[in-house]
Every structure is written in structure tokens, then in C-alpha cells.
Amino acid sequence: MKKIFIILAFCFFAMSYSQKKKDLYLFTSFREPATEGLYLAYSEDGYKWKGLEGSFLKPEIGASKIMRDPSITKGADGTYHMVWTTDWKGGNGFGYASSKDLMHWSEQQYIPVMKNEPEVVNVWAPEIFYDDVKKEYIIIWASTIPFRFEKGVEEEKNNHRMYYVTTKDFKTFSDTKLYYDPGFSVIDCVIVKKGKKDYVLVLKDNTRPMRNIKVAFGKSPLGPFKKSSEPLTEYLSEGPTVVKVGKNWLLYYDNYGSKNYKALSTSDFVHFEDVSSKISLPEGHKHGTITTISEEVLKGLIEKKN
């Protein structure tokens, strides 16, 4: 009798496990000229993406009323927090909003992180990262402050460095500090936690003629980071984002020189395999970030557009 009970219990567990709802992947995006707002695509395997019709959040803040480079992360409480570029040029901050279901959003906020830098040219591509060690959010972005750094081959108004703030509640923020100065113009940075005290910074070298993707390694999400790698991608690549699928990481990037998306697969961020032939994305997809969503959230998003 005991043996039969064990077998039945095992069968029940196996059936329950097989029916357990799995998380799906969500890719944020925008469409040029970036006035329509947030676009979304989803995937079951991290390779093949299906677009959801229309915009899910219209930009209401910033002088230009645009939404570029939407970066999203899910906090410990399941709330999605998103930041984005509000102005191509001018402005001293970025946009922020949060949501539990990606349909109903908080009031949009403009976060003036460079208000103490009157000469700042721009605030580009803010990227949000949840630090599960310190239980806080790190937001990094690229800005140019003319004559602040050695410019190399870049013009003074295109010589970017990375800056950051931290916050626990999106009401109070730390003072703005320099995040990353590799000695060249750098934008589009993404923080990846590979393991305990093992972090990767994926970045775009924005200097001519480079303008491609590299990586650097550090023991903390705030660095310091070691010297960046040799280029991983071809000329005119930007907007990287990273997602773990199975045992490997997929590094997506916008190869705007060829007007298409590409992807690399890696287990260590040292050795990479081009898997671009295995991916598909909606037409017009522009770079954002990848997170996970539940089947319930996806169902709500689909029903909203039907």
C-alpha cells in the first residue's frame, strides 16, 4: 500500500510539474521616429519573436515627447520598472514609469539626473539594472560634457562617457557620478550579472571608425571594470541587450549598418558564436531590452489589442 501511495504521489508531482506555467521572454522596442512609444515582442525560446500590435505607452514627458531605447527590469516584488531616452539632443534627464502588468502604468516622471551639468549635450540610452545584493536599482546612461575628457577623434559634442545613479524607491536618487571612462567615447552600456562577484559590461565603442560592441569585466555592477575587449561585432553596431537562454547567454544587437538585427551566443563572454540565422524579430524593431513575463501577463497584453 505504501509503495502504491509513493507511486501515485510521484505521478501527481510529475503531472503538476509538467503543467507548471513557464515564464516567457519579452523584448521592449520603439519605432522610428520614436513618437509612438513602447512596442513589445514576446518569445517562448528567446530566438523567435512575435510582435504585439501597437504601442503600450505613449511618451508624455521631455521636450521632444519621444521614447527611444526603452530599458526595463523586473524588481523583487514583480513590478516592472522602465526608463527611456526622452530627447535626442538637449534635456538633462530621462523618462521613468512602472507597471505590474505592462498595460496600466504609473504617471510618467522626468528624472533630471544631469541638472548640475549646465553644459551637458544629451542623456542617451538609460539602462536599468536591479542589484539583488544591495536591493537597489542602478541606472546608467551616456552623456557628453564638452571639454571634460580627452576627445580623441570625436568632436567635443560627441565624446560620451557613462554616468549613473542608484535608487531603492524611484523617489530619491543618489548623486550622479561617473560610471565608466574607458578612454574613448562610449554609449549603450548593459550590465550583466554572470555570477557572484562576476559582472560583465557590454558596451558600444562609439569612436570612428569603430562603432561596434565590446565587453569588459568587473567584480561589482558599479565596477571598476577592466580594459575592454577587442570588438565582438562588425562596424556600425549598437543597442546591445543580453538574455540567458538555457546554459548560454544571447547577446542581441542592432547592426544598423546592414539594417538588421544579429545575435551572438556565449557561455563566458570570451568565446562567441554567431547565431543570427536562428533569430527572427518583427519588422521595424529598434533596440530595447529583454526581460521575462508570465503567461498571464502575456494573455492580458494580447487581449488588450484584440
Side-chain angles (χ1 to χ4, degrees):
M1 186 68 180
K2 183 178 180 181
K3 186 176 181 180
I4 294 174
F5 176 78
I6 293 173
I7 293 173
L8 290 173
F10 177 80
C11 291
F12 177 78
F13 173 80
M15 184 173 64
S16 299
Y17 183 81
S18 66
Q19 293 176 347
K20 184 180 179 181
K21 295 180 179 179
K22 63 178 181 179
D23 278 348
L24 304 169
Y25 301 100
L26 183 84
F27 208 149
T28 62
S29 177
F30 68 97
R31 299 289 185 272
E32 295 289 8
T35 54
E36 295 181 0
L38 176 65
Y39 279 75
L40 300 172
Y42 70 94
S43 173
E44 295 184 4
D45 63 3
Y47 287 83
K48 305 294 184 182
W49 298 86
K50 297 179 181 178
L52 294 168
E53 189 69 26
S55 170
F56 286 83
L57 183 65
K58 298 280 187 179
E60 300 173 350
I61 56 175
S64 305
K65 299 292 190 298
I66 63 170
M67 180 182 289
R68 301 181 66 90
D69 320 306
S71 172
I72 197 167
T73 192
K74 185 162 58 174
D77 65 349
T79 300
Y80 292 94
H81 299 275
M82 187 174 72
V83 293
W84 65 90
T85 303
T86 59
D87 296 282
W88 181 248
K89 288 186 178 180
N92 59 13
F94 53 75
Y96 164 76
S98 64
S99 175
K100 286 284 189 180
D101 58 9
L102 303 173
M103 293 183 292
H104 304 92
W105 290 86
S106 67
E107 182 179 357
Q108 296 177 33
Q109 299 179 46
Y110 185 77
I111 314 297
V113 288
M114 298 298 276
K115 62 183 178 182
N116 294 326
E117 295 288 354
E119 301 301 318
V120 69
V121 174
N122 55 358
V123 174
W124 275 3
E127 186 77 17
I128 187 168
F129 174 83
Y130 180 64
D131 183 354
D132 58 4
V133 177
K134 292 186 177 181
K135 310 300 181 186
E136 66 182 11
Y137 297 87
I138 301 169
I139 306 169
I140 60 176
W141 67 91
S143 283
T144 290
I145 304 173
F147 307 103
R148 180 67 56 87
F149 301 96
E150 184 177 344
K151 71 182 183 69
V153 299
E154 293 303 306
E155 296 180 358
E156 287 293 349
K157 291 188 176 182
N158 195 41
N159 190 25
H160 297 80
R161 295 299 186 274
M162 297 298 299
Y163 296 84
Y164 81 97
V165 292
T166 62
T167 183
K168 291 182 180 291
D169 57 10
F170 296 92
K171 296 177 181 178
T172 59
F173 295 82
S174 67
D175 291 337
T176 296
K177 295 180 181 179
L178 181 67
Y179 180 75
Y180 183 56
D181 174 17
F184 53 78
S185 182
V186 59
I187 65 173
D188 291 358
C189 288
V190 176
I191 305 168
V192 180
K193 183 175 183 178
K194 194 158 72 77
K196 186 177 180 180
K197 294 185 178 181
D198 187 4
Y199 293 84
V200 182
L201 187 67
V202 184
L203 60 113
K204 178 188 176 182
D205 181 342
N206 199 44
T207 55
R208 277 79 174 155
M210 306 303 289
R211 289 183 282 181
N212 47 32
I213 309 301
K214 299 179 177 180
V215 295
F217 299 92
K219 295 181 179 180
S220 161
L222 293 179
F225 293 96
K226 298 178 182 178
K227 182 179 178 181
S228 61
S229 69
E230 292 298 311
L232 310 178
T233 66
E234 52 274 85
Y235 175 66
L236 298 181
S237 298
E238 65 181 9
T241 190
V242 178
V243 61
K244 192 165 190 183
V245 178
K247 295 182 179 180
N248 287 346
W249 301 86
L250 292 182
L251 193 165
Y252 279 85
Y253 63 96
D254 186 348
N255 183 217
Y256 65 100
S258 300
K259 297 183 179 180
N260 60 18
Y261 245 86
K262 293 189 175 182
L264 302 173
S265 176
T266 182
S267 61
D268 56 9
F269 290 89
V270 176
H271 306 92
F272 293 86
E273 176 189 0
D274 188 341
V275 293
S276 301
S277 62
K278 298 180 181 180
I279 68 170
S280 62
L281 288 138
E283 184 177 356
H285 182 93
K286 295 294 292 183
H287 45 271
T289 54
I290 300 174
T291 186
T292 57
I293 57 170
S294 66
E295 291 179 333
E296 288 83 1
V297 169
L298 176 61
K299 182 180 178 182
L301 293 172
I302 293 174
E303 289 177 349
K304 181 179 180 181
K305 293 301 181 180
N306 290 337

